């Protein structure tokens, strides 16, 4: 395939890189990558060893000692060039994202566009790493705070966004003066290798040291455990399940490191009786079936007022019946495959549990077979009636299952249902009632990190800080002031007088 050659993907690839050199040997355990699109073999990767990891982290730390002294606007210039290079490779990289992961080509290209957008954002941020000036209670004293580079930032990314979420962290960290060590999901390592090849071009063109952007592909037990326990990595950003995040957070906390946790979501859209359904239904469908339900911001629960419940159900059934399921590289198709057959099993098991608990499947649930579905990873998205208290509804199933839940009375009843899960990532309400919208956004409203009005749960822009509450982890990435997490904060006091007054009026004479 031409796009693989253009991105420097070989039939067999090494699994560790310092940005300039690829490290390892072909004697390591080999991961074979098959596309969920058609079941075809793409390429293989030799997993990094503990020795490879040590070489990479050593170079990353050495590069930090240099990079932290480079003026932030000049660091931003390097990130600007990365954005330009990504523009050159948008089509082949977006195609690889789609083919390796299974999301639609439009979403694959959109993911690369997110990378480009965060580069642009980070360039501007490189001139805005602001501190604050405070008024001292002591005469002839000045106080201010400032931010310094933190160190090597570890980034552990998930399969569903193979490149975008890495870039949210890496580009912001880079302008903050940090270097990056990336451990991608072993389900989608080829996109990470392709990105590393693109970065290498910018590093060479600017005569930069190796180690600014590093990559290690390997087992969690080998590479992941070393990364989260490594005292040379002051901050680790992790995207994954709640269980993965809990384990990592405990390990990082034991060494007093910092963690950005982007974990599970169980996102709901509330549909008020005063909602504009022409606006609502397309947002629900994209939120529920986009990326085949494999987004952390996927719409999983639909909380609908009883007065419009039947109308919403009818409109959704009509919309789902019109969905085209198939090869995601064909832009006419809406829904591609799940990542692998293990994900299909989770989908099937979730539906079995739903039925046992009393839920009713209104549409979908089949695993598609035959021509065009040879990979065995294509399923028909599901609409089901359920109750919020069902155990399966309380969990996050990474598949296109939408639970319809009816509510009565005022909007607070719907908000209470929405908040009654352990996850707290994304949420939305569709209503034309100003009081309902403002209640939803108030302190008594949604308890999620993201709360939208007349906008769906998925498809966040990079300008806002992204993250959730409760067991979603509480971390924030990307825009707003998320940059502060990648730096160490320092308060400074300067005495420019001839006396030494103490704070709080304390007297100490010798």
């Amino acid at each position: 395939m031409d796009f693989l050659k253009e991105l420097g993907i070989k039939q067999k690839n090494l699994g560790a890189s310092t940005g300039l050199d690829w490290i390892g040997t072909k004697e390591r355990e080999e991961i074979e990558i098959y596309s969920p699109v058609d079941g075809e073999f793409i390429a293989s990767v030799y997993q990094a060893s503990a020795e490879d990891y040590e070489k990479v982290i050593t170079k990353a730390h050495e590069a930090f000692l240099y990079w932290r002294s480079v003026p932030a606007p000049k660091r931003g210039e390097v990130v600007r060039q990365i954005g330009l290079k990504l523009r050159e490779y948008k089509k082949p990289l977006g195609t690889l994202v789609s083919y390796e992961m299974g999301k639609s080509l439009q979403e694959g290209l959109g993911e690369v566009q997110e990378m480009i957008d965060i580069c642009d954002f980070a360039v501007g941020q490189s001139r805005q790493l602001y501190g604050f000036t405070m008024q001292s209670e002591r005469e002839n004293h000045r106080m201010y705070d400032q931010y310094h580079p933190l160190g090597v930032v570890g980034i552990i990314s998930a399969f569903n966004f193979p490149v975008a979420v890495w870039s949210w962290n890496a580009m912001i960290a880079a302008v903050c003066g940090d270097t990056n060590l990336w451990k991608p999901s072993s389900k989608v390592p080829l996109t990470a290798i392709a990105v590393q090849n693109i970065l290498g071009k910018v590093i060479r063109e600017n005569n930069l040291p190796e180690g600014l952007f590093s990559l290690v592909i390997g087992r969690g037990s080998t590479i992941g455990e070393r990364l989260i326990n490594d005292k040379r990595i002051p901050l680790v950003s992790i995207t994954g399940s709640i269980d993965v995040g809990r384990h990592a957070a405990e390990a990082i906390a034991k060494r007093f490191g910092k963690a950005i946790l982007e974990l599970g979501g169980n996102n709901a859209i509330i549909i008020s009786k005063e909602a504009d359904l022409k606006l609502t239904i397309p947002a629900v469908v994209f939120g529920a079936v986009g990326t085949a339900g494999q987004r952390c911001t996927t719409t999983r629960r639909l909380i609908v007022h009883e007065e419009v419940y039947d109308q919403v159900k009818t409109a959704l059934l009509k919309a789902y019946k019109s969905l085209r399921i198939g090869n995601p590289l064909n832009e006419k198709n809406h829904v591609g495959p799940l990542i692998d057959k293990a994900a299909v099993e989770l989908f099937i098991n979730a539906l079995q549990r739903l039925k046992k608990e009393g839920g009713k499947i209104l549409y979908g649930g089949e695993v598609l077979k035959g021509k065009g579905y040879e990979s065995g990873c294509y399923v028909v998205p599901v609409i089901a009636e359920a109750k919020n208290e069902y155990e399966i509804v309380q969990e996050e199933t990474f598949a296109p299952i939408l639970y319809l839940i009816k509510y009565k009375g005022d909007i607070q009843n719907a908000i209470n249902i929405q908040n009654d899960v352990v996850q707290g990532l994304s949420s939305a309400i569709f209503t034309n009632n100003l009081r309902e919208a403002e209640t939803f956004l108030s302190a008594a409203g949604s308890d999620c990190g993201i709360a939208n009005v007349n906008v769906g749960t998925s498809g966040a822009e990079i300008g806002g800080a992204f993250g959730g509450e409760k067991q979603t982890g509480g971390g924030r990435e990307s825009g707003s002031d998320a940059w502060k997490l990648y730096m160490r904060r320092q308060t400074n006091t300067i005495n420019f007088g001839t006396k030494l007054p103490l704070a709080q009026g304390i007297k100490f004479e010798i």
Side-chain angles (χ1 to χ4, degrees):
M1 297 181 179
D2 291 342
F3 64 88
L4 294 176
K5 184 181 294 184
E6 191 173 352
L7 294 167
I9 302 299
K10 304 172 183 176
Q11 189 170 31
K12 294 180 180 290
N13 303 271
L14 296 177
S17 170
T18 62
L20 293 177
D21 295 325
W22 288 93
I23 296 172
T25 70
K26 295 183 179 180
E27 298 174 359
R28 309 295 186 194
E29 184 178 355
E30 193 174 358
I31 309 171
E32 294 186 340
I33 306 301
Y34 293 85
S35 172
V37 172
D38 53 18
E40 293 296 318
F41 172 75
I42 309 175
S44 66
V45 181
Y46 293 98
Q47 298 193 77
S49 65
E51 294 80 7
D52 298 334
Y53 172 87
E54 191 59 34
K55 291 177 183 177
V56 168
I57 184 62
T58 298
K59 290 294 184 183
H61 181 69
E62 290 174 355
F64 167 69
L65 299 180
Y66 159 79
W67 191 238
R68 67 183 178 181
S69 298
V70 174
K74 292 186 177 181
R75 299 193 294 251
E77 168 58 21
V78 173
V79 170
R80 186 187 72 83
Q81 292 178 38
I82 292 172
L84 293 176
K85 196 68 70 175
L86 287 169
R87 285 175 169 87
E88 293 179 29
Y89 288 92
K90 179 178 177 179
K91 183 64 182 293
L93 184 56
T95 303
L96 177 57
V97 168
S98 179
Y99 191 60
E100 185 179 29
M101 187 269 152
K103 63 176 59 178
S104 72
L105 180 58
Q106 277 297 311
E107 291 184 77
L109 295 171
E111 187 166 344
V112 181
Q113 187 61 49
E114 278 193 65
M115 302 174 76
I116 294 167
D117 292 345
I118 198 65
C119 285
D120 290 350
F121 182 92
V123 173
Q125 191 68 73
S126 70
R127 294 180 181 270
Q128 300 179 84
L129 303 178
Y130 297 133
F132 293 94
T133 299
M134 291 78 72
Q135 297 302 311
S136 174
E137 66 185 61
R138 292 168 283 184
E139 63 182 30
N140 297 324
H141 280 59
R142 181 166 66 89
M143 292 178 62
Y144 70 96
D145 63 21
Q146 62 178 330
Y147 292 84
H148 293 302
L150 192 61
V152 181
V153 172
I155 304 170
I156 299 176
S157 61
F159 75 85
N160 58 330
F161 278 84
V163 291
V165 175
W166 164 82
S167 70
W168 294 356
N169 289 274
M171 296 303 108
I172 299 297
V175 299
C176 287
D178 304 323
T179 56
N180 294 278
L181 177 58
W182 182 15
K183 182 193 177 302
S185 167
S186 294
K187 294 184 178 184
V188 286
L190 301 179
T191 47
I193 291 171
V195 169
Q196 196 73 4
N197 287 336
I198 293 169
L199 292 170
K201 296 177 186 296
V202 176
I203 292 170
R204 287 185 176 87
E205 289 168 3
N206 287 272
N207 295 315
L208 295 169
E210 58 183 338
L212 289 181
F213 297 97
S214 302
L215 178 71
V216 280
I217 298 166
R219 289 184 175 277
S221 57
T222 304
I223 301 303
E225 288 299 311
R226 278 175 168 76
L227 196 157
I228 63 177
N229 286 287
D230 197 327
K231 294 180 180 179
R232 294 167 294 183
I233 302 179
L235 173 66
V236 183
S237 176
I238 301 165
T239 304
S241 68
I242 290 173
D243 288 341
V244 167
R246 181 180 291 113
H247 169 71
E250 290 174 354
I252 295 165
K254 285 180 180 178
R255 61 179 179 85
F256 293 95
K258 297 180 181 180
I260 298 174
L261 303 175
E262 298 291 356
L263 311 178
N266 196 345
N267 316 294
I269 291 178
I270 295 172
I271 301 181
S272 160
K273 62 182 178 181
E274 299 190 48
D276 179 348
L277 296 187
K278 290 183 179 179
L279 195 69
T280 305
I281 298 303
V284 171
V285 176
F286 175 74
V289 308
T291 322
Q294 297 171 113
R295 289 181 178 228
C296 51
T297 54
T298 289
T299 305
R300 307 201 180 280
R301 296 175 296 140
L302 203 61
I303 303 167
V304 188
H305 194 277
E306 61 178 351
E307 291 187 20
V308 294
Y309 184 86
D310 289 339
Q311 189 179 353
V312 168
K313 183 167 68 173
T314 299
L316 282 175
L317 287 169
K318 180 180 178 181
Y320 270 56
K321 289 174 183 177
S322 71
L323 291 174
R324 292 185 293 274
I325 306 168
N327 189 321
L329 295 177
N330 181 345
E331 296 190 61
K332 293 182 179 180
N333 290 328
H334 299 108
V335 184
L338 294 175
I339 185 65
D340 54 26
K341 291 182 180 178
V344 174
E345 286 300 313
L346 290 174
F347 172 78
I348 294 170
N349 291 339
L351 297 181
Q352 292 174 345
R353 290 176 59 190
L354 173 69
K355 292 177 184 177
K356 287 182 180 179
E357 291 192 71
K360 180 182 179 182
I361 296 175
L362 300 177
Y363 182 83
E366 301 84 6
V367 179
L368 297 175
K369 299 178 181 178
K371 187 176 180 181
Y373 307 119
E374 290 85 356
S375 69
C377 298
Y378 291 85
V379 301
V380 180
V382 168
I383 303 172
E385 292 182 311
K387 295 181 179 180
N388 201 63
E389 59 265 28
Y390 289 174
E391 286 186 7
I392 189 60
V393 176
Q394 289 285 312
E395 299 174 10
E396 178 190 41
T397 302
F398 233 48
I401 303 174
L402 179 64
Y403 301 114
L404 270 59
I405 301 166
K406 187 183 296 185
Y407 83 93
K408 302 178 180 180
D410 65 18
I411 204 66
Q412 195 62 53
N413 293 332
I415 292 170
N416 292 341
I417 294 170
Q418 181 209 273
N419 291 346
D420 191 23
V421 292
V422 298
Q423 308 88 348
L425 180 53
S426 188
S427 59
I429 185 172
F430 279 80
T431 181
N432 287 332
N433 184 310
L434 179 62
R435 288 178 176 173
E436 289 185 335
E438 290 296 335
T439 299
F440 179 76
L441 298 176
S442 72
S446 170
D447 63 3
C448 295
I450 298 169
N452 299 329
V453 175
N454 294 331
V455 176
T457 61
S458 63
E461 297 180 36
I462 58 93
F466 181 90
E469 300 298 322
K470 301 190 290 188
Q471 291 190 22
T472 297
R476 293 296 185 274
E477 299 169 330
S478 192
S480 187
D481 65 347
W483 63 269
K484 294 179 180 179
L485 295 172
Y486 302 89
M487 305 195 80
R488 58 182 178 88
R489 186 170 186 164
Q490 186 179 78
T491 300
N492 307 113
T493 304
I494 300 98
N495 178 359
F496 56 91
T498 58
K499 298 180 181 180
L500 189 67
L502 300 177
Q504 293 83 47
I506 294 173
K507 302 296 183 181
F508 183 78
E509 297 180 359
I510 55 173

